[in-house]
């Protein structure tokens, strides 16, 4: 007979494996199809729907968890971007790296925008946007970015231009290779001192 603490540990390990499998499958399924159903995700994870719903009571909660994981991965990568030197050059490097993430996760972004409550996607971008805010503040201090508009507005503009570019790419009006240069030109023009 197994001891109760061994049974609990085994259940916990099984639950952690199931959660990891569900999150991995959800990221893959939603990257292929932002409208992927929980049934498709459960099947891809090798678990039943009851198990999936036991860990994620709604599709929105599952999408949120996958998006949180993607943001954390992105944050790790953005933390490696060199933001020293001329703030305009640093912003261009940050845009390039940010665009690579947006492009990689654009289908997941569409799923999140569809499934999550208004404002949640922007809320989850708080840490990446803090990095942008600090860079813009430095550029404002050095006189290379405009000071007549609030920094929070400029950060919001960057967020919306990036996500707008994802929509344009999805619609086939631009290519992935065009996006980062377009975003950079748009934002550097918009952020230039008035």
């Amino acid at each position: 007979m197994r001891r109760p603490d061994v049974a609990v540990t085994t259940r916990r390990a099984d639950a952690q494996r199931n959660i990891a499998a569900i999150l991995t499958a959800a990221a893959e399924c939603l990257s292929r199809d932002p409208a992927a159903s929980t049934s498709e995700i459960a099947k891809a994870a090798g678990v039943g729907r009851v198990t999936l719903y036991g860990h994620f009571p709604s599709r929105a909660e599952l999408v949120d968890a996958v998006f949180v994981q993607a943001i954390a991965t992105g944050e790790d990568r953005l933390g490696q971007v060199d933001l020293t030197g001329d703030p305009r050059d640093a912003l261009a490097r940050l845009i390039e790296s940010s665009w690579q993430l947006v492009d990689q996760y654009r289908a997941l972004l569409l799923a999140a925008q569809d499934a999550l409550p208004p404002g949640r996607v922007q809320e989850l971008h708080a840490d990446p946007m803090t990095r942008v805010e600090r860079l813009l503040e430095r550029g404002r201090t050095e006189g290379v970015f405009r000071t007549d508009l609030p920094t929070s507005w400029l950060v919001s503009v960057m967020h919306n231009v990036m996500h707008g570019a994802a929509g344009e790419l999805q619609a086939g009006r631009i290519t992935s290779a065009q996006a980062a240069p377009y975003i950079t030109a748009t934002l550097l023009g918009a952020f230039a001192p008035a």
Side-chain angles (χ1 to χ4, degrees):
M1 180 172 170
R2 285 198 309 188
R3 295 189 341 242
D5 58 331
V6 172
V8 169
T9 301
T10 302
R11 274 197 308 265
R12 269 195 211 125
D14 288 345
Q16 291 304 317
R17 278 192 299 276
N18 286 341
I19 290 168
I22 291 165
L23 289 173
T24 298
E28 291 169 2
C29 290
L30 293 169
S31 291
R32 284 191 305 272
D33 176 11
S37 69
T38 52
S39 295
E40 293 171 73
I41 294 167
K43 183 177 179 183
V47 300
R49 288 180 63 211
V50 171
T51 299
L52 185 145
Y53 283 117
H55 296 295
F56 302 97
S58 70
R59 183 177 182 280
E61 289 180 62
L62 176 57
V63 170
D64 190 277
V66 173
F67 200 64
V68 164
Q69 197 173 53
I71 292 286
T73 299
E75 233 339 75
D76 289 343
R77 284 176 44 194
L78 291 177
Q80 304 302 311
V81 176
D82 177 14
L83 298 181
T84 61
D86 184 302
R88 292 169 293 210
D89 294 337
L91 183 63
R93 289 189 297 273
L94 185 58
I95 289 168
E96 175 68 32
S97 294
S98 297
W99 172 252
Q100 289 171 6
L101 292 168
V102 170
D103 189 26
Q104 177 182 348
Y105 293 116
R106 75 177 178 272
L108 181 55
L109 172 63
L110 293 173
Q113 289 172 327
D114 184 54
L116 303 182
R120 178 64 175 153
V121 171
Q122 192 153 2
E123 176 186 320
L124 290 173
H125 281 88
D127 288 340
M129 290 298 109
T130 297
R131 178 179 287 103
V132 174
E133 189 174 283
R134 285 193 305 262
L135 177 57
L136 291 175
E137 286 293 339
R138 182 167 67 85
R140 288 163 63 113
T141 300
E142 294 179 21
V144 297
F145 294 144
R146 66 189 312 151
T147 58
D148 60 322
L149 296 172
T151 303
S152 60
W153 175 255
L154 300 180
V155 170
S156 181
V157 167
M158 180 171 172
H159 176 84
N160 287 300
V161 170
M162 295 286 275
H163 289 229
E168 290 297 295
L169 179 62
Q170 192 75 20
R173 291 187 284 267
I174 64 171
T175 66
S176 182
Q178 292 170 320
Y182 286 8
I183 294 165
T184 300
T186 300
L187 294 177
L188 288 178
F191 294 171

